[in-house]
Amino acid sequence: MFELYTTFVYQPFLNLLVGIYYVLQQIPNLPHADMGIAVIIFTLALRFILLPITLASQRSEAERRLLEAKVKQLKHDLRSDPIRLNQEIKKLFRTNPRMVISATLDLTIQVVIALMLWRIFVKGLLGADLHLLYDFMPDIPQPYNLKFLDVYDLTHPNLKLNLIQSLAIFAVEVLNLLTSPFPVTRAEVIKLQFILPITSFLIFSLLPAGKKLFIITTLTFTFCLKLIQLLRRFFRRAVVDTPKVE
């Protein structure tokens, strides 16, 4: 299983990242041709590749909200009949398999990417996995420049990038709540806008800066995507509401 993961997931993405780094090295007069810039480009490429899954996940979120509302109603209506309640909830989930599959797929992808990036920056780019580079890859002088903007060592934790990551999570969750078509409770505001950023700051504090740079770029991409979707809805609504001139 581990060999399959290495061959079909880890090795291709390691080569892609190193390939992007090589291309940056060939650009004359580029002030920062480091692995951090390669990580940003790599992340954006990955987000565009996974965009269909991201959009499907957003649709699943709407379905999840509706499903939660139905479950809540069932619990209210069948509170005196726990056996039937359990049966009806199971039936409800069986009629919504796409939501379960989409959520499982999204979680699996996130876990795989997290493990891949941890390995890349903890030991992969330091030499332990360079034997996994394909034979056709160009000969790149080593060691690689693993300092983002000549300041942030991508192989070690960094407090500043950790703080930026938490602020990015806060910004995305604020936009999520502002654009949510569903009622937002006070508990959700506290959990998503405050507890989640603080918890992520503590949990990710020991991760290498390269992983944090990936997360920050991903969050920025998500923020821009949601902003574009919000503007599209706004202009679409404005067109619908505009009175027609006879």
Side-chain angles (χ1 to χ4, degrees):
M1 186 68 178
F2 181 74
E3 290 182 358
L4 290 175
Y5 164 77
T6 299
T7 303
F8 295 105
V9 178
Y10 180 76
Q11 189 174 11
F13 283 111
L14 174 65
N15 279 268
L16 176 60
L17 180 59
V18 173
I20 294 171
Y21 174 77
Y22 171 76
V23 172
L24 290 173
Q25 293 287 310
Q26 307 312 304
I27 301 176
N29 302 321
L30 188 66
H32 295 290
D34 57 63
M35 192 60 75
I37 301 298
V39 169
I40 293 174
I41 298 173
F42 168 84
T43 307
L44 292 175
L46 189 60
R47 296 328 299 179
F48 277 109
I49 292 172
L50 297 176
L51 188 57
I53 296 176
T54 300
L55 296 176
S57 178
Q58 291 180 358
R59 290 192 292 270
S60 296
E61 175 64 17
E63 293 175 358
R64 184 184 66 81
R65 291 272 191 164
L66 293 174
L67 193 63
E68 286 179 350
K70 291 179 181 179
V71 170
K72 186 176 181 180
Q73 186 62 42
L74 283 173
K75 288 181 177 179
H76 178 268
D77 296 340
L78 302 174
R79 57 185 180 275
S80 59
D81 190 351
I83 296 177
R84 189 185 168 197
L85 172 62
N86 189 43
Q87 292 173 342
E88 291 298 323
I89 290 177
K90 287 181 178 179
K91 187 187 301 182
L92 193 60
F93 276 96
R94 282 198 297 268
T95 58
N96 292 271
R98 192 171 70 87
M99 185 205 70
V100 178
I101 293 171
S102 178
T104 304
L105 180 62
D106 185 60
L107 178 61
T108 302
I109 290 173
Q110 298 304 322
V111 170
V112 168
I113 291 174
L115 293 174
M116 175 185 67
L117 290 170
W118 178 84
R119 180 175 170 182
I120 283 176
F121 291 109
V122 168
K123 63 177 185 177
L125 294 177
L126 297 177
D129 291 333
L130 295 185
H131 65 282
L132 294 175
L133 294 179
Y134 297 134
D135 293 336
F136 60 78
M137 288 290 288
D139 186 20
I140 306 173
Q142 298 179 25
Y144 300 151
N145 182 3
L146 298 178
K147 276 201 169 183
F148 177 49
L149 304 180
D150 296 329
V151 176
Y152 307 102
D153 187 339
L154 299 177
T155 63
H156 291 81
N158 183 275
L159 182 62
K160 186 180 292 186
L161 289 181
N162 203 38
L163 179 60
I164 293 173
Q165 171 192 272
S166 295
L167 292 175
I169 292 174
F170 174 80
V172 168
E173 292 305 332
V174 167
L175 190 59
N176 276 338
L177 294 179
L178 288 176
T179 58
S180 175
F182 303 98
V184 178
T185 65
R186 183 178 180 183
E188 287 179 316
V189 172
I190 295 174
K191 180 177 70 175
L192 297 176
Q193 292 187 6
F194 298 100
I195 296 179
L196 182 60
I198 293 173
T199 303
S200 68
F201 181 87
L202 297 174
I203 292 176
F204 296 129
S205 60
L206 298 179
L207 289 180
K211 169 65 176 172
K212 294 186 181 71
L213 189 59
F214 174 87
I215 296 174
I216 292 169
T217 306
T218 297
L219 290 168
T220 303
F221 180 88
T222 302
F223 185 88
C224 293
L225 178 63
K226 289 185 175 296
L227 196 58
I228 291 171
Q229 292 173 332
L230 177 63
L231 291 174
R232 284 183 61 188
R233 285 201 296 267
F234 173 79
F235 285 117
R236 193 176 299 164
R237 191 176 303 162
V239 170
V240 172
D241 295 341
T242 301
K244 295 182 180 179
V245 179
E246 297 287 337

